[in-house]
Amino acid sequence: MYIFVMRHGEAEPSLQNDQLRPLNDYGISQAQQSGDWLNLFAKDSKISLSHAMVSPFLRAQQTFQQVNLATKIADIRSNSDLVPSGNCQALHFSIDHFAQEHQNVTGLLLVSHMPFVSYLVDEMCEIEEMRMFSTGTIVCIDYNVEESKGHIVKTFTPE
C-alpha cells in the first residue's frame, strides 16, 4: 500500500480561530499542482487512489478539494487525529486497522499540518529525521501493513 502524507497549501495569516484559516491564492495553486502530480504518479505506478483522510481544519479541507479535482478519490473521511496537535502513534494504529479492514486499498492520501506530518512520517518509517514539509508537499511512503512500517519512495513539492 502507498500512503501519501500531504501538508495543506499555504493559508491566510493566523486568525483568532486557527481551524478556520482558509487557503490563499498561492495555496490553491499549490494544491492544484500537488493534485496533478499525485494523479500522474498514481497512474504511472498503477496505484488506485481510493481513500483519503483529511484534517477537519478548513485549509486542509480546501487543499483536499483542489487535489481531488485531479484524483477523484471517492472515499473521503474527516479525521480529527490529523490536526496539528494530533497523536501520530494513535493515527498509525488507526491506519493499520483501516488497512486490515480494507485490504483492497492500494493508495491512501492523508492531508494534515506541520508539525504533525513530520512526526507521522518519522513514526510510520521508523526514522528520526524531522523532515520539514513546505506547504503543499507530498511524501509518498511504500507501506507494508504486515510489518506496520514503510519507507519513503518519493517527495513532491509544488512551485
Side-chain angles (χ1 to χ4, degrees):
M1 175 168 92
Y2 285 86
I3 297 175
F4 300 90
V5 180
M6 180 180 188
R7 182 181 178 194
H8 62 79
E10 186 177 277
E12 293 293 335
S14 188
L15 300 171
Q16 283 185 316
N17 186 343
D18 186 49
Q19 296 178 24
L20 299 178
R21 288 177 49 213
L23 293 180
N24 60 27
D25 290 342
Y26 180 58
I28 291 169
S29 173
Q30 289 177 313
Q32 290 167 343
Q33 289 175 55
S34 294
D36 290 342
W37 176 85
L38 184 56
N39 185 49
L40 185 61
F41 181 86
K43 284 182 181 178
D44 289 348
S45 303
K46 296 180 179 34
I47 298 166
S48 173
L49 279 168
S50 56
H51 292 74
M53 295 181 188
V54 184
S55 161
F57 285 25
L58 179 60
R59 60 192 178 273
Q61 293 286 324
Q62 290 177 324
T63 296
F64 176 75
Q65 290 169 357
Q66 294 301 314
V67 167
N68 209 32
L69 293 174
T71 58
K72 310 288 191 236
I73 297 171
D75 188 321
I76 304 115
R77 301 160 190 240
S78 183
N79 189 317
S80 59
D81 287 331
L82 287 165
V83 299
S85 62
N87 181 324
C88 60
Q89 291 89 4
L91 184 65
H92 187 181
F93 177 79
S94 177
I95 289 169
D96 284 346
H97 182 72
F98 173 83
Q100 290 167 356
E101 286 186 345
H102 301 86
Q103 295 183 5
N104 61 332
V105 174
T106 58
L108 171 64
L109 172 63
L110 308 173
V111 183
S112 187
H113 313 265
M114 275 297 287
F116 185 80
V117 289
S118 184
Y119 296 144
L120 182 63
V121 169
D122 283 3
E123 165 74 19
M124 296 186 84
C125 296
E126 295 183 353
I127 56 177
E128 293 184 26
E129 193 173 282
M130 268 304 292
R131 176 181 296 259
M132 292 304 297
F133 277 67
S134 299
T135 51
T137 294
I138 300 174
V139 170
C140 173
I141 299 172
D142 184 356
Y143 190 76
N144 184 314
V145 177
E146 290 80 28
E147 294 179 7
S148 188
K149 73 176 193 177
H151 64 276
I152 297 169
V153 293
K154 192 84 171 169
T155 299
F156 172 81
T157 301
E159 296 178 3

